[in-house]
Amino acid sequence: MAVSVYDYTDFRKFLNDHFEYRRQKVKRLTLQDICDEIGMKSAGHLSSILKGHTNLSKKVAPSVAKFCRLKKKEAEYFVYMVLFNQMTNHTRKKEAFEKLISYRLSSVYKVSAKSYKYYDCWYHSAIRSLTGVFDIRDNYTELATLVTPSIRAYQAKSSIELLVELNLIALDESGFYRPTTVYIDSGTHANSTAINSFVVSMLDRAKESLDIFPAEERKLSWVTMGIDQEGYEAFLSEMRTFRSKVADVLKKHRTADRVYQWNMQLFPLSKSRQALEQKEQANANGGGLDYHD
């Protein structure tokens, strides 16, 4: 059965499945045959792309789509999928993902669009928590001013509507919106682009807090350190343990009068020794990898 490009968000997975389907039709079809048709010289290079070791050039992507006999809209989707998979810049990756969502035949639209909307705006999370602290009905102007930094009334209204649609809040017996669950766990399989958008937004809020709130109402701290891979894994384990302990503390202190955001960040400030050694080795061998940002 032919594969649909709209069922994929990983272009490599799509190509591997499509090529396997074509081989069932043409038994002797080889990677070199495919390369000859799309204008790629080396079957080894194509193999490296399919395995995720090398990126597919944006210039070559339309030729690959043509080989896969994709129609105009399908080919556009394929190119955006290539960009989404290979972009390292978050803003550009987010733009590519939003393009994928725009295709209504796409499984991304069916499955991820709503959850993406929740994480795409930082204040959805804040408003969800506020419904557990204040009595919120349709007083959107008041709700908008409760959020810091404040938002517009129409944004507060659309946020409430989204939270209801996602079943994250619901009306209680008194007619006030309340959270349907105490905690939300994005899980290990949540869309990384949506989560990254949320993280970036909250980092912006952390910067703004320096100017908005006095020192006694906020706390920013940090540690700069050198660490190896084993130490890094141990550090992650401690972060997860501490996050669980924080959840236990919150269970004991259920009375709230304000909404806070607590961020944990761990990110590199240098290249790794291994990466430098690999780069030196690649230079010694004459390169050969195709990188695209």
Side-chain angles (χ1 to χ4, degrees), residues 8 28 32 81 87 104 118 122-123 126 145 168 189-190 198 222 289-291 293:
Y8 296 81
R28 296 183 180 180
Q32 189 57 55
M81 185 162 53
M87 284 292 181
R104 291 180 177 267
Y118 174 72
W122 63 271
Y123 53 79
T145 58
L168 294 177
H189 300 291
F198 182 77
W222 59 89
L289 295 182
D290 181 13
Y291 289 102
D293 183 8

Side-chain angles (χ1 to χ4, degrees), residues 225-241 264-270 272 274:
M225 57 191 170
I227 199 168
D228 60 12
Q229 185 62 33
E230 183 179 354
Y232 173 76
E233 296 296 336
F235 197 95
L236 288 184
S237 177
E238 290 296 326
M239 287 178 65
R240 297 187 189 103
T241 300
M264 287 193 294
Q265 291 93 36
L266 179 64
F267 52 88
L269 289 177
S270 76
S272 69
Q274 182 182 10

Side-chain angles (χ1 to χ4, degrees), residues 34-45:
I34 298 171
C35 287
D36 292 342
E37 187 165 336
I38 65 178
M40 186 180 293
K41 294 182 180 179
S42 169
H45 185 67

Side-chain angles (χ1 to χ4, degrees), residues 135-137 170-179:
D135 293 334
I136 305 297
R137 279 200 178 108
L171 291 173
D172 65 8
E173 295 178 354
S174 300
F176 297 113
Y177 290 109
R178 301 296 182 199

Side-chain angles (χ1 to χ4, degrees), residues 74-127:
E74 294 173 329
E76 290 176 356
Y77 181 88
F78 176 78
V79 172
Y80 285 126
M81 185 162 53
V82 171
L83 294 175
F84 170 64
N85 290 166
Q86 297 182 165
M87 284 292 181
T88 56
N89 178 278
H90 171 68
T91 300
R92 293 180 181 177
K93 193 176 186 74
K94 179 172 176 284
E95 290 172 353
F97 183 73
E98 288 172 344
K99 288 290 187 180
L100 295 182
I101 286 180
S102 70
Y103 289 79
R104 291 180 177 267
L105 293 175
S106 164
S107 60
V108 184
Y109 179 86
K110 298 171 187 174
V111 177
S112 301
K114 291 180 181 178
S115 61
Y116 179 77
K117 288 179 181 178
Y118 174 72
Y119 286 109
D120 191 42
C121 290
W122 63 271
Y123 53 79
H124 295 322
S125 177
I127 287 177

Side-chain angles (χ1 to χ4, degrees), residues 179-217:
T180 54
T181 58
V182 178
Y183 303 109
I184 295 178
D185 188 346
S186 63
T188 57
H189 300 291
N191 177 268
S192 60
T193 301
I195 299 300
N196 286 346
S197 292
F198 182 77
V199 170
V200 169
S201 294
M202 285 307 178
L203 288 175
D204 289 337
R205 303 292 80 75
K207 290 190 295 183
E208 291 170 354
S209 72
L210 295 172
D211 297 322
I212 296 175
F213 302 106
E216 60 269 20
E217 294 185 10

Side-chain angles (χ1 to χ4, degrees), residues 10 28 48 111 116 128 130 132 231 246:
D10 184 337
R28 296 183 180 180
S48 183
V111 177
Y116 179 77
R128 176 187 170 276
L130 278 169
V246 169

